[in-house]
Amino acid sequence: ADPIDIPDLRALQAQLIKRAQEIPTTPWEGEQCDLIRYSGSQKRELEYHGVVGYLDLPEGPGELWPLIAAAQWFHIGKATTVGMGQLVVEPY
């Protein structure tokens, strides 16, 4: 398959952001959540700063559901390998 060039990705990104902005949501609820873990390879403690919370989509994610499902399945998010950034989709 041919690789997607950057202008195509930027156009797709713009379309996805536009669609996401059209989905009804409740205000985000959350708080700061930090994690400290020891790295054996670096022989020191590492600090991760993040947030934990939720966002309700009362009418569902609409046509963005495949993207959200893929993000959950592939553990897309910063520091998911150490337990942060995990996206979980639950029924309303």
Side-chain angles (χ1 to χ4, degrees):
D2 292 331
I4 300 174
D5 68 6
I6 298 298
D8 289 342
L9 288 176
R10 297 217 190 280
L12 177 59
Q13 178 187 28
Q15 290 173 0
L16 291 172
I17 290 171
K18 182 177 184 285
R19 295 282 168 87
Q21 290 171 335
E22 296 169 352
I23 295 173
T25 66
T26 60
W28 181 81
E29 296 280 338
E31 60 189 61
Q32 185 172 338
C33 178
D34 298 329
L35 171 72
I36 298 174
R37 74 168 185 90
Y38 183 78
S39 169
S41 63
Q42 297 182 38
K43 307 282 191 267
R44 66 183 182 99
E45 288 186 338
L46 302 176
E47 291 185 30
Y48 296 92
H49 304 284
V51 295
V52 62
Y54 64 91
L55 176 70
D56 284 331
L57 308 174
E59 297 176 21
E63 59 190 320
L64 294 183
W65 74 264
L67 182 62
I68 292 171
Q72 177 177 300
W73 181 260
F74 290 110
H75 306 284
I76 294 173
K78 184 175 181 180
T80 56
T81 58
V82 294
M84 297 188 78
Q86 180 180 6
L87 171 68
V88 177
V89 178
E90 297 177 346
Y92 187 61

